[in-house]
Amino acid sequence: MKEAILPLLLKELRLPSIGQFWESFQRQATSENWTYGRYLAHLCEQELSERHTRRLSRHMNQSRLPRGKSLESFNFSSCGLNRAEVIALASEDSWVRSGKNVLIFGPSGVGKTHLAAAIGEQLVQQGVRVLFTRTTELVQGLQQAKRELTLSATLDKLDKYDCIILDDFGYVKKSEQETTVLFELICERYERRSLMLTCNQSFKDWDSIFSDKMMAVAAVDRLVHHALILEVRGESYRRKAALERGGEPSAPGAGPYVASGESGRAARPSDFEKSSNSKKEEQVE
């Protein structure tokens, strides 16, 4: 009988869900007098549904997103962010598809990583390929690829991710080797693929990240072009926890992280240039 070889045929065609459900659907089709077309449609729908579930699970695992970080559990009450706007950002993938960036600034402990991971999880649910990584960890990998003369191939592999989340961007060491590969990553993805970063240093302090001031200005220019900047405010959650335990609280982070001068205005590359020039004048004096 042809039905006897059907499981083998379905396995060869890589249709595992149809292979699992065709018999139960056949019984239902017989009892309910389905047409052949309806029976086939139910099998195809089941296969597509199972494929979507498996793909979503695989992409979530490959994203390396920290678990337990959701927008529902994020405290919007004192962070200075508009809850509805952030939820809208996480629910809409058009900014990712067009290669725009999201830059999240704020002192340590206010939930920048939580927020970035929560947005990333929502994006994965929409079919967006996301990679979450500590910036220092990714930079080390890029450095090794450059030593092995495979940097271009490594950047090509990262290109499969629509959005890369660079956590703790401000902890990159100020060395030519590290900042050069980081700058190459920024340039490679500029206007093509999205970057989301969390940082506890404002643009004017990025000369402590990049060894070359002109490189810092160029990096800021590429990141802020087509970017949304979020500034998370408030007291450190870790500091609060330390106070509740009666331990020594960590020092609160400094701000502001978005340059002032115009109310609510996001920092521009020119702000960094002005800061660099003022520092030079102080050194001359």
Side-chain angles (χ1 to χ4, degrees):
M1 294 177 63
K2 289 290 185 181
E3 287 187 2
I5 64 170
L6 186 56
L8 295 176
L9 295 174
L10 292 173
K11 183 177 181 181
E12 185 69 21
L13 290 170
R14 298 182 180 180
L15 299 171
S17 296
I18 293 180
Q20 180 180 354
F21 292 100
W22 73 271
E23 289 179 298
S24 62
F25 278 17
Q26 184 185 55
R27 289 191 294 269
Q28 185 177 358
T30 300
S31 65
E32 299 180 9
N33 295 317
W34 288 0
T35 63
Y36 294 124
R38 183 181 178 186
Y39 173 55
L40 181 60
H42 273 274
L43 287 174
C44 292
E45 287 174 353
Q46 185 66 38
E47 182 67 41
L48 288 174
S49 176
E50 292 289 327
R51 283 188 181 187
H52 174 74
T53 300
R54 291 193 300 270
R55 185 185 305 111
L56 184 63
S57 177
R58 183 172 67 254
H59 288 177
M60 190 64 74
N61 289 332
Q62 292 174 348
S63 73
R64 297 168 56 188
L65 285 162
R67 298 295 181 256
K69 308 292 185 183
S70 67
L71 290 177
E72 289 75 17
S73 61
F74 184 79
N75 185 5
F76 283 94
S77 61
S78 59
C79 69
L81 297 175
N82 185 301
R83 179 188 180 92
E85 290 180 358
V86 173
I87 291 176
L89 174 70
S91 303
E92 176 58 62
D93 66 354
S94 61
W95 61 273
V96 178
R97 303 302 182 188
S98 58
K100 297 179 180 178
N101 302 320
V102 172
L103 315 177
I104 305 175
F105 292 92
S108 297
V110 294
K112 300 185 301 298
T113 298
H114 184 146
L115 184 62
I119 294 173
E121 183 175 308
Q122 290 292 311
L123 291 175
V124 174
Q125 297 285 347
Q126 298 172 65
V128 176
R129 297 298 306 275
V130 173
L131 174 66
F132 179 95
T133 178
R134 302 289 182 188
T135 307
T136 52
E137 181 181 337
L138 180 62
V139 165
Q140 289 169 4
L142 293 176
Q143 282 183 287
Q144 181 177 350
K146 189 170 185 176
R147 288 193 296 268
E148 296 172 355
L149 304 179
T150 59
L151 180 59
S152 179
T154 301
L155 292 174
D156 286 342
K157 289 180 181 178
L158 291 174
D159 216 42
K160 71 179 181 181
Y161 296 104
D162 303 301
C163 180
I164 296 179
I165 301 176
L166 299 174
D167 193 34
D168 289 334
F169 189 87
Y171 290 116
V172 174
K173 295 180 180 178
K174 184 177 179 179
S175 69
E176 183 177 354
Q177 292 77 15
E178 289 199 4
T179 56
T180 297
V181 294
L182 182 58
F183 182 71
E184 289 192 48
L185 173 68
I186 293 171
C187 292
E188 177 69 20
R189 297 182 68 85
Y190 177 57
E191 292 191 319
R192 296 189 315 102
R193 295 285 189 269
S194 292
L195 288 171
M196 185 187 307
L197 62 84
T198 70
C199 189
N200 61 359
Q201 292 176 298
S202 61
F203 291 134
K204 66 183 178 62
D205 297 320
W206 276 24
D207 58 349
S208 65
I209 300 176
F210 290 90
S211 57
D212 181 86
K213 287 183 173 59
M214 293 305 297
M215 185 184 294
V217 173
V220 172
D221 185 52
R222 285 165 174 77
L223 287 171
V224 301
H225 192 210
H226 313 304
L228 173 65
I229 300 177
L230 303 177
E231 183 183 9
V232 186
R233 302 170 185 170
E235 188 178 0
S236 168
Y237 295 116
R238 290 186 287 271
R239 185 170 184 269
K240 288 181 181 178
L243 287 172
E244 290 173 0
R245 293 193 304 267
E248 281 295 322
S250 58
Y257 293 84
V258 178
S260 59
E262 296 178 31
S263 179
R265 176 175 72 80
R268 304 184 179 115
S270 58
D271 296 323
F272 176 84
E273 292 173 329
K274 292 174 183 177
S275 173
S276 299
N277 292 334
S278 64
K279 288 182 179 179
K280 289 179 181 177
E281 291 172 1
E282 289 175 3
Q283 292 173 353
V284 171
E285 293 176 356

